[in-house]
Amino acid sequence: MTILVEKSGLYASIRDSGRFGYRNLGVNPGGASDIAALRTVNLLLGNDEYEAAIETYFPAPVFLFETETSFAIGGGNFEPELDGMNIIMNSVIRAKAGSRLRFRRKVRGNISVISIKDGLYVPTILRSKSLNSAAGFGGFEGRTLQTGDRIRISGGIVSSAQIVGTIPTYVQNPVLRVLPGPDFKSITALGLLRFLEGGFEITRQSNRMGYRLFGKAITLLDDSERISSAVTYGTIQCLPDGGLTVLMADHQTTGGYPNLATVITADLPVLAQTSVGQTLRFEVADEFEAISALQMQERDFAFLKAGLKLNRK
């Protein structure tokens, strides 16, 4: 029982919540870019909320279902259609054997997440199914999905469900909340003005490892070389030319560039769904706001779980 990749897309790969506990060995988590989208579509299907799914950019692959199964699509809206019929995002869809899934155009967001009932049958390596492209393991045979690949599935069926309450708002030019990092106090007055009031465009030199931003240079009081230290998804680094990089889901485990700030966890899905050419702005938050935002997100997921549980009784 399989899904056939009839046509490969742009960096389509298998991702779950990530590979944690190995950063001391140089292995990054490398999980889903939009963890909220992953959790939502998995919960709709009755899967474990962190089960592995297919993450793709646009243009997305063409999939042929060789087995009847249920699936759900969340995250970025690439106008999906099944056998020529439009699909409602964040809802359970039943595909017959021989059905073909296509994505017509990029409407909103940057990354689409496709979850299959009962998950994908790929090996678990270091407690995760996520692809680590640098090391060449995880995901589907240690690489992105290519034309002709067949992904094993169970062929499970689930009753219909739809939800919109937990879906983040993917705006064109978002304002991201950040917590000051160890080098935030090194920013000059002019640099701070530029950091907080200027817009930063995501350039084409961006990928799952980091978004390279274009904007006015950030100047520091102390631009001496730093000792490498731990970094994470959302860390904002200042490069020698004053430019900024925001580390993404495939970030390295340590970095030596000045660490100015970190995007709060609740805003990471919005960051992930921002595309090349769009503009970001930053707003300083405190720990209370960061924790409150995450608690609100978890509250929404608790409501989703409760509602789905009642719906299936």
Side-chain angles (χ1 to χ4, degrees):
M1 294 185 284
T2 57
I3 300 172
L4 172 66
V5 182
E6 278 199 329
K7 183 180 179 181
S8 61
L10 179 61
Y11 208 81
S13 59
I14 294 173
R15 306 282 174 174
D16 55 18
S17 58
R19 187 171 284 109
F20 295 95
Y22 303 98
R23 296 194 205 201
N24 61 316
L25 302 176
V27 180
N28 64 8
S33 295
D34 185 344
I35 196 71
L38 177 77
R39 294 173 69 184
T40 300
V41 290
N42 274 324
L43 288 169
L44 287 170
L45 292 167
N47 295 347
D48 179 275
E49 60 191 294
Y50 298 108
E51 179 58 64
I54 298 169
E55 177 183 288
T56 183
Y57 296 78
F58 191 84
V62 176
F63 297 100
L64 178 69
F65 290 91
E66 298 183 311
T67 303
E68 185 176 26
T69 192
S70 294
F71 69 97
I73 303 176
N77 183 356
F78 298 163
E79 203 169 273
E81 59 178 35
L82 186 68
D83 296 331
M85 301 293 291
N86 289 340
I87 289 175
I88 299 174
M89 297 287 293
N90 296 289
S91 63
V92 173
I93 306 297
R94 188 166 180 169
K96 298 178 181 178
S99 290
R100 186 170 282 104
L101 175 63
R102 301 178 184 271
F103 298 82
R104 296 181 58 189
R105 65 188 180 93
K106 187 174 180 179
V107 177
R108 173 185 58 83
N110 187 44
I111 301 166
S112 196
V113 181
I114 308 153
S115 181
I116 309 297
K117 173 60 179 172
D118 296 331
L120 308 171
Y121 290 177
V122 295
T124 298
I125 301 175
L126 299 179
R127 299 185 293 180
S128 174
K129 296 179 181 179
S130 284
L131 171 65
N132 186 313
S133 55
F137 66 79
F140 187 90
E141 299 181 356
R143 57 172 173 79
T144 56
L145 298 177
Q146 303 297 323
T147 301
D149 288 344
R150 279 186 164 86
I151 310 169
R152 290 181 58 220
I153 63 170
S154 72
I157 302 297
V158 66
S159 58
S160 62
Q162 182 179 350
I163 194 70
V164 294
T166 61
I167 304 168
T169 302
Y170 305 137
V171 298
Q172 181 70 20
N173 300 302
V175 177
L176 302 174
R177 292 165 290 183
V178 302
L179 292 175
D183 293 303
F184 188 79
K185 292 182 179 179
S186 293
I187 305 175
T188 65
L190 176 60
L192 184 60
L193 184 66
R194 291 174 174 177
F195 182 79
L196 296 177
E197 295 188 1
F200 297 92
E201 181 182 337
I202 300 175
T203 72
R204 293 190 178 277
Q205 290 74 46
S206 300
N207 52 37
R208 271 186 56 94
M209 188 172 183
Y211 282 179
R212 182 71 164 88
L213 306 181
F214 174 77
K216 293 183 178 180
I218 304 301
T219 51
L220 304 179
L221 297 171
D222 175 14
D223 58 1
S224 61
E225 188 173 340
R226 267 66 168 176
I227 297 174
S228 290
S229 59
V231 294
T232 190
Y233 186 3
T235 294
I236 303 172
Q237 294 181 315
C238 186
L239 305 182
D241 63 0
L244 299 180
T245 294
V246 184
L247 299 186
M248 301 301 289
D250 277 352
H251 63 85
Q252 68 274 25
T253 55
T254 62
Y257 293 123
N259 180 337
L260 303 186
T262 300
V263 178
I264 68 170
T265 301
D267 285 357
L268 291 178
V270 178
L271 170 63
Q273 294 293 351
T274 308
S275 305
V276 170
Q278 291 182 239
T279 300
L280 305 173
R281 288 186 56 238
F282 300 117
E283 177 182 276
V284 175
D286 57 26
E287 291 183 10
F288 177 81
E289 184 177 358
I291 293 171
S292 296
L294 189 58
Q295 288 174 332
M296 289 179 64
Q297 189 179 80
E298 291 304 313
R299 179 205 61 187
D300 288 343
F301 275 109
F303 286 154
L304 171 59
K305 293 173 189 178
L308 291 172
K309 185 176 181 179
L310 288 171
N311 186 53
R312 288 172 178 142
K313 282 187 175 181

